[in-house]
Amino acid sequence: RKEVEQDPGPFNVPEGATVAFNCTYSNSASQSFFWYRQDCRKEPKLLMSVYSSGNEDGRFTAQLNRASQYISLLIRDSKLSDSATYLCVVRPGNYGQNFVFGPGTRLSVLP
Amino acid sequence: NAGVTQTPKFRVLKTGQSMTLLCAQDMNHEYMYWYRQDPGMGLRLIHYSVGEGTTAKGEVPDGYNVSRLKKQNFLLGLESAAPSQTSVYFCASNQAGLYNEQFFGPGTRLTVL
């Protein structure tokens, strides 16, 4: 089993739609969690950190379920500019300082 | 504040040639990383460093060497390039602390013929 798994995608949604991505992780000792966004042929950039109580940033909401070891990202009122690949990132706290990246879920928002 | 920069942006090598990729960060970050990204594979960690003068192997270290002689620089070397090393290479850095995000450089696109 991979350390971090994501919905395979791609997701093709119309503008204005709500879309949700799921991510599961295998290391129960993981301590910190992030969603990154990667545009085509560009570097990943932080979209938002994921906190235990869940957090929201504008149209984006992230949730963490430690018991089930999954993380979700909800995008409301999708914009064309949201088209990108979304990477789930998990950081184990019991060794080193390494980040573990999921394979990504590609989103295309269609006009 | 340039963040994380990488040199070069593009490179084409012939099998067996060597080259060095340079990563520089101006954020005074302790930790630096080299990843490769291949279609359908996601980001894979090659080597990383938790401080000046220290390096460690990641998930896919074979065929690569690294050095961190200065805190702000992290070099990735390919001694004898192989076609399997054709990839996009990203450097990243972050400040010490479990909840700090990684910042990425713009990437180097390497083709080995």
Side-chain angles (χ1 to χ4, degrees), chain A residues 54-91:
Chain A
N55 47 301
E56 187 174 306
D57 183 1
R59 298 181 293 109
F60 299 86
T61 300
Q63 296 282 349
L64 169 64
N65 184 319
R66 285 188 183 270
S68 300
Q69 295 179 210
Y70 85 79
I71 308 152
S72 65
L73 176 68
L74 183 75
I75 305 175
R76 292 181 299 277
D77 189 22
S78 299
K79 310 292 185 190
L80 295 176
S81 57
D82 293 334
S83 297
T85 297
Y86 290 84
L87 306 173
C88 175
V89 185
V90 173
R91 200 171 184 192

Side-chain angles (χ1 to χ4, degrees), chain B residues 32-49:
Chain B
M32 297 187 74
Y33 311 76
W34 277 106
Y35 294 92
R36 61 178 290 174
Q37 188 174 39
D38 303 292
M41 297 291 290
L43 282 159
R44 292 185 291 170
L45 182 64
I46 304 171
H47 285 281
Y48 64 99
S49 168

